[in-house]
Amino acid sequence: MYIRSAIIAWISLLLFGTMPVHANSPKVELTEAEQSFIVAHPTIYLGVDPKFVPFEFIDSDGIYKGITPDFIELIEQRTGLNLVQVEGLTWKEAYDRAINNEIDVLPSVSKSSAREEHFSFSIPYYTFQRVLVTRDDNDKVESFESLLGQKIAVQENSSHHNFLKSIGYSKISLYETVEGALAAVTNGSEQAFIGNLATSTYLIREYGFTHLKVVTMNSPGDQQLYFAIRKDWPLLLSIINKGLASITEQERLEIQGRWIKIDSKVDYSELFEVIAIAVAFIVLMTLVSWYWIRKLKNEVRERKSAEQALVFAKEEAEIANEEKSTFLARMSHEIRTPLNAITGMIYLMKKTEISTTQKLYMDKIQQASKNMLAMINDVLDFSKIEADRIEIERTSFNLDTLLHHVMNIISFKIEEQNIEFIIDKEPSLPSAYYGDSKRIGQVFINLINNAIKFTPSGQVSVTIRKAADYGNQVILECSVKDSGIGMSEEQIRHLFEPFVQGDASINRRFGGTGLGLSIVKNLLDRMGGEVSVHSVLGEGSTFVVKLQLEVDRDQEANERQQRVEMFIHKIRVLVLEKNQIHANLLRQYLNAFNMSVEVILSEDVVVERLQNKATSNQAPYDLLIVDYDTPMNKGLQFIESIQQDDVIKVKPKTMLLFPLAREDLFDEIEQWKIDIGITKPIIPSTLYNGIVEIFKDNLLEESTANYGELGAPDRSSRSKFQLLIVEDNKTNQFIARTILEQAGFNVRLAENGAEGVAIFLEQRERINLILMDLHMPTMDGYEATRLIRKEDAKVPIIAMTADAIVGVKEKCLQAGVSDFVSKPFDPEQLINKLDEMIKPLEPESDHRAEVAVASQQEEPILDRSYGLMLLGNKEQLYKRIIKNYCEDNVNVGEMLLRSLDERDYHEAIQIAHKVKGSSGNIGANKMYKVASALQQALSDRDEERIYELAQRFVATFAELYREVEQYTADIGSEESE
């Protein structure tokens, strides 16, 4: 058979001619830089594989031979390079030296991602294929499929061996060498051998194996050869690529023919057959040409038909995708609309006189509706991720507030599971960051919900630590650990795939869409974070999230300044907590607050400690913190017994730690004369704020209320505004109207877009804001908005819709909508959004802060009595705080004027905001109001007011500074802290 192939190839050469390989070889054109490189590097050192037959090898005489050396010879002739083999090396030694740039080129290698880290790769210059070799009298073997179920010979640990293992083929005969396997096929011991075409045919020729045939396999895995070149020599890569590109197809065929051909002992019966083929060859060429012309015509026809089919399939796919989006929109609308009614009615019910039990029932209904909404949002978020339309925002947020929000959402599930839940946040960790708090919260909720769902009993803990700190950037490491059912390695491999759960029983037992973890992975990828998982089947799982965030230094500094001014350290605290984990966390948090803390596990020991303090005339404990479940008769009765103990003369303040879902206990705090109660798990800022609440007697909260942002609307101020609600659903009309009228707004209703437009045009002078539903009969919200915008470009229009899919928000903005509210809406959030929208509409709102400043010109520069009241009339403490305030801000006037000269309004706003925040808490009310007015003017870019208020700011601070200096003259600088 191989004689026939060789003679056919010879006849082809006679018919079509041959081209000499080396005669008149064309020189490639090199740039000046490439020519200079060759001059600078007269010798290029090669690392070769001495046994890679027939591509490159060292023969018995020590000569470098093979396909690759023939290509190298042509490259040298065309480019002028001098490529020299480094002798005496094994392939491993040559490869290691090349990695260290001790060898310049590896001329015969395949490409992989690992190798691309160390080398630049040329264009490929040779491709070889996987083949079957069997006896030529074996008519049963015509393809790989015909061998299924039979034994196949293969070289052990070769790529072909790995290929058979990867497809699960088990009937394999392993041979140490290729020639051994080929010999077994030749003598009939084996049916067939799998190898690569080049090596197999070369060894058949070298060892004189006869009566063999080669069958091409259509399996994947064709391999190519490249020159691997050191990365720091890009010019060498360019030169070699030019040399390879200059080698013609005819030259490549000649090189291949020299090394890949099969000899066989001549069989005269075959010779006659070959002669007959030669005689018929010309006739066959004519017939074949005619056949291929017809076939090509058919193929052109089929290709055109296939192209039309592809266009049709693409159109069908686009229609299907549009139908999917429409279905999601309709599903969202149809489910969110009744959910809006449920959440709205719950909100209104909670405003009425209901019992604690009824309130708990309301909370459970509300939580169930939130769970349904979360499932809808998972599907919609996945749709957005698929469409690459999800957006990541960057706003300032407080991590502790975010954790509170997460706890509120998951508390219902923790109560259902009756498991222990712990949050361990590093006390020194900053709380203020820039990032997308909504998406970060979504990551926390999905991971914690997942942990709770698969933990029938035991514990779920959340640990938040700082993994790294790069100035303003920190890497947070958040781990969610559970003692649940755990996962196998196979389950972990598919964990982050959409709509996938551990196995079919998981969905039946635990429910869910299988989207939560997929969404977590996609959101973290978009925020530059990562998630990993460690799990042991039957023992539990730990998910670890790493996320880099920027610290909001200004907000963090303000919060720390407030904590310093509260000055609550040196408080003596006694803690009763039987759970060792919670006890350690409480000790860690209280120590971080610079408090003296003693943690006791037994209620009897606590009583003994309190009594000993009283009888030994030692300083008593200031605060007693009691876990509700630790005392035998629970926390309420235990605290009552302490209060009634006549031995304990000085009673400590009391704080009770409630289980997460026992909100009903808050109703009993006042009855049992407990100072404050907070829920577990304990978040550091919650614990700190609770202690401040106890020892400052709510004064800090009053301060914030008295000196917060000017102009925050209340119920009476809202009564000046009339809202138009355009909504076709009667239930939604009732809920929205009731909520907004209870908040103080005047409300007018319209049942569709056409009616809404008519009412607005009739009463446009009285309508201050419009709430617009999008899907209504007669005229939808988009068209109604466009018509209103033609008449009035300024009236605020807020879209209300149950469609929360990709593209709706963009359509709203294009129609002229001012803002966007998704149903079901949170009533408090809706009222807050309306307050923001109407604030600029309030009469003379631009100058209210200035009026407030002007009306208080006669008030003292420093209200000492108010400042002392905030600190329990501790005058020396108050003096130290206001002295620190002045020292911290001594250059604030100069900094403000410099930022205004440079027109850096952002920096000026930060300066005014910082001074405003700290001034209100020391009784510097006049300074507070000037700073507030200046901040507002800067935000409005009102040049005239900015100049006037800046001068007043500097003068007021100078006056305040003199007052403080005089008042604190008896305080030495060494006392300032």
Side-chain angles (χ1 to χ4, degrees), residues 36 61 127 133 149 153 199 217 256 329 343 347 352 388 395 403 461 493 551 589 622 665 765 818 822 854 952 963:
S36 299
D61 297 325
T127 301
V133 179
T199 303
M217 289 179 60
Q256 176 171 307
T343 55
Y347 176 82
T352 64
D388 198 26
T395 57
L403 291 174
S461 63
R493 274 196 293 272
V551 179
Y589 294 159
D622 301 299
L665 295 174
E765 298 301 325
S818 309
S822 179
R952 190 182 301 173
E963 175 77 11

Side-chain angles (χ1 to χ4, degrees), residues 670-704:
E670 187 174 351
Q671 174 189 342
W672 294 85
K673 297 180 180 179
I674 297 170
D675 293 291
I676 198 168
I678 61 176
T679 56
K680 297 168 73 174
I682 302 301
I683 296 174
S685 64
T686 305
L687 178 63
Y688 189 92
N689 292 337
I691 296 173
V692 170
E693 186 82 8
I694 293 174
F695 287 94
K696 292 193 63 179
D697 197 24
N698 296 326
L699 292 178
L700 178 63
E701 183 175 336
E702 293 172 12
S703 167
T704 304

Side-chain angles (χ1 to χ4, degrees), residues 682-896:
I682 302 301
I683 296 174
S685 64
T686 305
L687 178 63
Y688 189 92
N689 292 337
I691 296 173
V692 170
E693 186 82 8
I694 293 174
F695 287 94
K696 292 193 63 179
D697 197 24
N698 296 326
L699 292 178
L700 178 63
E701 183 175 336
E702 293 172 12
S703 167
T704 304
N706 291 333
Y707 297 100
E709 290 290 342
L710 295 175
D714 57 17
R715 196 177 190 283
S716 60
S717 65
R718 294 187 188 118
S719 64
K720 294 178 287 187
F721 298 95
Q722 179 156 314
L723 310 185
L724 173 62
I725 300 177
V726 187
E727 165 69 69
D728 64 314
N729 186 287
K730 295 292 186 183
T731 303
N732 288 341
Q733 284 182 5
F734 169 76
I735 291 170
R737 181 172 193 164
T738 306
I739 290 172
L740 296 178
E741 285 181 346
Q742 285 185 2
F745 293 105
N746 294 308
V747 176
R748 179 73 187 270
L749 295 176
E751 294 193 355
N752 56 62
E755 185 178 337
V757 173
I759 292 174
F760 176 75
L761 295 178
E762 179 185 342
Q763 303 182 24
R764 61 188 301 175
E765 298 301 325
R766 285 184 287 176
I767 293 174
N768 304 105
L769 186 144
I770 301 172
L771 286 167
M772 180 76 71
D773 187 34
L774 294 183
H775 295 288
M776 296 176 289
T778 308
M779 181 185 292
D780 64 23
Y782 297 111
E783 182 62 25
T785 299
R786 281 189 284 268
L787 293 175
I788 291 172
R789 281 287 174 247
K790 290 180 180 179
E791 302 297 328
D792 191 318
K794 294 183 178 180
V795 62
I797 302 177
I798 299 178
M800 298 189 304
T801 180
D803 292 342
I805 64 169
V806 174
V808 171
K809 190 171 184 178
E810 290 75 6
K811 286 177 67 177
C812 289
L813 295 175
Q814 290 172 3
V817 166
S818 309
D819 212 329
F820 183 90
V821 173
S822 179
K823 297 178 186 176
F825 53 76
D826 181 283
E828 297 292 347
Q829 291 180 2
L830 175 62
I831 292 170
N832 291 337
K833 184 178 286 291
L834 293 177
D835 284 342
E836 292 175 9
M837 300 292 284
I838 66 172
K839 187 176 178 181
L841 306 176
E842 195 167 353
E844 300 182 1
S845 64
D846 292 339
H847 300 287
R848 282 181 295 132
E850 287 185 79
V851 171
V853 173
S855 66
Q856 299 294 332
Q857 288 298 314
E858 301 305 320
E859 67 179 331
I861 189 68
L862 182 65
D863 188 346
R864 299 179 193 174
S865 61
Y866 180 80
L868 286 168
M869 181 181 65
L870 290 177
L871 293 170
N873 292 315
K874 297 177 181 178
E875 186 173 17
Q876 291 303 309
L877 171 60
Y878 177 60
K879 286 182 176 182
R880 284 198 296 271
I881 288 175
I882 62 175
K883 188 172 182 68
N884 284 344
Y885 164 85
C886 284
E887 289 175 353
D888 288 345
N889 295 295
V890 65
N891 297 318
V892 71
E894 179 184 343
M895 293 165 58
L896 174 68

Side-chain angles (χ1 to χ4, degrees), residues 629-644:
D629 290 321
T630 295
M632 184 178 299
N633 294 322
K634 302 302 180 183
L636 295 172
Q637 289 82 358
F638 176 75
I639 292 177
E640 183 183 38
S641 69
I642 296 295
Q643 292 167 342
Q644 294 175 355

